[in-house]
Amino acid sequence: MKIRILGPLHAETDGVPVVPTAAKTRQVLALLALRAGQLVPVDVLRDELWGPVPPRSAHATFQTYILRLRRALAEGLGGPEGPAKARRLLCTGHGGYQLRVAEQDVDAFAFQRAARAGHAAFTDGDDEAASRLLRQALALWRGPALVDVPAKSALRIHAAALEESRTLATERCIDAELRLGRHAELLAELVQLTERHPANERLHAQAMVAFYRSGRQSAALGLYRRLRRGLIEELGLEPAPQLQRLHQAMLTVDPRLDTDARGGPPTPAFDLYAA
């Protein structure tokens, strides 16, 4: 069974799509997939569906959702053994249910594994490997996590954690590629990212460096002014000290900004002027 969570929910067994259409059944499948191979207590599943005060009919209704999900799995598995296989795939345990799929068959876990390897490569100073691994991880995303699943409690927490991991992987990947001298290639992507994350100072630092090294100092300085204005208007805050120092370095055309950092310590763009 293959399950995709990083974008619209998709699941298939033997190549046959088995995604349920009912919203709450999709919630059950998504939560079970995010805990692949683990027993998920019924209370956790019910809380995701109805919150802390479920309706009186919750027990019977929940069993209906499990039945529908197993039926969808059985149809995908096909043949006379389909229902039995579905019960083994979505099995009942003590006080809960378990989806017996390997973590590598769920895209969220594949992303986390590749991202961890990419972060480790960056820390080791291997920018080529960091870029390759992190791009592989990010390519698994097809949109916001669980974008078409009505998320509550547990699913909302999972989705937020995955999105944060995506942002961190993106920042680290761009840092590696800036160190590889790919600043011009990154400009279009960084423009989109700073538009999408108008208060993310790390992405803005990266975009400033990419513009500056591409000979577009005015664009780098304009980006800083826009960020500063937004932070003051929205939060009443000035940019972080290291970003202010980066801005000042660009104003004074500090030659260190043009230095190829490869072979040195793996410093993110945001921390070029950390002290």
Side-chain angles (χ1 to χ4, degrees), residues 180-199:
L180 290 168
R182 299 175 186 171
H183 38 270
E185 302 168 37
L186 290 167
L187 284 177
E189 180 180 4
L190 281 166
V191 167
Q192 292 181 344
L193 287 168
T194 52
E195 289 284 348
R196 198 180 309 151
H197 304 281

Side-chain angles (χ1 to χ4, degrees), residues 69-144:
L69 184 52
R70 279 181 173 150
R71 188 177 298 153
L73 295 174
E75 290 175 0
L77 291 165
E81 294 296 316
K85 290 180 180 178
R87 285 192 296 273
R88 289 194 294 271
L89 184 59
L90 173 53
C91 63
T92 305
H94 181 66
Y97 291 88
Q98 178 184 7
L99 191 62
R100 288 182 171 173
V101 295
E103 287 189 351
Q104 61 262 31
D105 293 328
V106 181
D107 63 354
F109 293 101
F111 161 74
Q112 291 169 338
R113 185 168 56 252
R116 281 194 299 269
H119 288 304
F122 182 85
T123 300
D124 291 341
D126 189 344
D127 298 314
E128 290 282 2
S131 170
R132 174 175 49 81
L133 290 165
L134 290 167
R135 287 293 176 189
Q136 288 175 2
L138 293 166
L140 294 170
W141 288 76
R142 299 165 295 114

Side-chain angles (χ1 to χ4, degrees), residues 122 171-172 174-176 178-179 190 201-210 213 242-243 246 250 257 266-274:
F122 182 85
E171 293 170 356
R172 185 57 56 84
I174 291 171
D175 275 325
L178 284 173
R179 284 167 52 84
L190 281 166
E201 293 177 284
R202 290 186 175 276
L203 289 173
H204 279 74
Q206 293 171 331
M208 288 169 63
V209 169
R213 290 181 179 172
Q242 51 265 64
L243 198 58
L246 176 63
M250 290 181 175
L257 281 169
T267 305
F270 183 72
D271 295 320
L272 287 174
Y273 293 86

Side-chain angles (χ1 to χ4, degrees), residues 192-250:
Q192 292 181 344
L193 287 168
T194 52
E195 289 284 348
R196 198 180 309 151
H197 304 281
N200 185 309
E201 293 177 284
R202 290 186 175 276
L203 289 173
H204 279 74
Q206 293 171 331
M208 288 169 63
V209 169
F211 273 121
Y212 186 90
R213 290 181 179 172
S214 299
R216 298 175 62 182
Q217 182 186 22
S218 61
L221 297 174
L223 191 63
Y224 176 84
R225 288 194 298 272
R226 189 184 71 181
L227 170 67
R228 181 174 182 269
R229 184 169 59 248
L231 289 175
I232 291 173
E233 291 176 355
E234 296 294 326
L235 302 172
L237 296 174
E238 289 282 351
Q242 51 265 64
L243 198 58
Q244 294 182 44
R245 287 191 287 268
L246 176 63
H247 173 248
Q248 186 62 33
M250 290 181 175

